Amino acid sequence: MKTILETTQLEFDKSNFLIDLVEHSNGRLYIEIVQTILNTNKKSKTLKINPSVLSDIIKVLQIYQEKLQKESNPEIKYITESDQEKIQQNYLKGVSINDLAMLFDQKPELIEMILRNKGIEIVENTMPKPKFWRNYKNRKKRKRK
C-alpha cells in the first residue's frame, strides 16, 4: 500500500507529468513520476526513484541541462525557474498575463499555465472605470434630449 504525500503537476504542449512524493507501507519515501503523452492512446509511463540515488540523478540532469542550453536552437526558449519566479512576482503585483507574455516573449497560455502550476488563481486584471465617468456620459445624454 502506498500513500501519496505531495503531488506536483507539470503541463507541457504534448505531455503532462505528475511527480508524487510517495510513502510505501514499509515507511520509506520514494519519488514517483508519471508521464502522460497527450493525443495518443499509449499507456502512461511511471518511473519510481529511490531517494538514495535522487541526488546523483539530479546532478546528472543539471549537467545535461547546461549542455542542452549551450547547444540548443535559439528559436526554442525555455522558461527557467528564476524567470518563473519573476513571472509569479510580477503577476502578484498586478501585471496582466498579456503584458507578461510580451515581456518574456511567450504565449499568454504558457504564462497562465506557469501561474496555475504555482498554485495561483487567475483573475481579471482590468481596473474598473471610475464611477464619475458613467455619470458624465449620462449627463451628456440628458442634455441632448
Side-chain angles (χ1 to χ4, degrees):
M1 182 72 184
K2 66 179 184 180
T3 305
I4 298 174
L5 301 176
E6 188 175 335
T7 299
T8 303
Q9 180 177 1
L10 302 175
E11 298 176 2
F12 299 100
D13 291 339
K14 296 181 181 179
S15 63
N16 292 336
F17 293 89
L18 283 175
I19 304 171
D20 297 328
L21 179 61
V22 178
E23 180 180 11
H24 283 272
S25 57
N26 61 7
R28 292 190 171 187
L29 297 176
Y30 291 91
I31 305 296
E32 186 175 281
I33 301 173
V34 179
Q35 179 186 18
T36 305
I37 299 174
L38 304 175
N39 300 328
T40 62
N41 295 333
K42 295 181 181 177
K43 187 177 177 183
S44 299
K45 297 180 181 178
T46 304
L47 174 65
K48 296 179 182 179
I49 301 173
N50 190 326
S52 62
V53 298
L54 187 60
S55 61
D56 293 333
I57 291 173
I58 291 172
K59 286 177 188 175
V60 170
L61 291 174
Q62 287 175 337
I63 291 169
Y64 285 173
Q65 182 183 19
E66 290 175 12
K67 289 181 180 180
L68 287 172
Q69 286 178 347
K70 289 178 184 175
E71 298 176 8
S72 68
N73 187 349
E75 294 177 8
I76 299 174
K77 292 191 175 185
Y78 299 99
I79 298 183
T80 62
E81 192 65 36
S82 62
D83 284 345
Q84 290 182 18
E85 291 296 322
K86 289 177 186 175
I87 289 170
Q88 177 182 353
Q89 290 170 356
N90 287 330
Y91 182 75
L92 293 175
K93 288 179 182 177
V95 179
S96 71
I97 291 178
N98 289 333
D99 292 340
L100 288 170
M102 283 191 295
L103 180 66
F104 288 94
D105 195 26
Q106 299 293 333
K107 293 182 179 178
E109 294 82 17
L110 180 62
I111 301 295
E112 186 175 331
M113 182 193 68
I114 289 169
L115 294 170
R116 287 189 193 279
N117 286 342
K118 296 264 185 194
I120 297 173
E121 186 176 337
I122 306 300
V123 295
E124 188 69 29
N125 281 353
T126 57
M127 296 293 291
K129 291 185 178 180
K131 189 174 181 179
F132 69 87
W133 284 108
R134 284 185 246 146
N135 289 340
Y136 180 72
K137 289 179 184 177
N138 289 339
R139 283 187 214 156
K140 278 188 169 183
K141 289 179 184 177
R142 286 184 208 155
K143 288 180 183 180
R144 291 182 188 165
K145 291 181 182 179

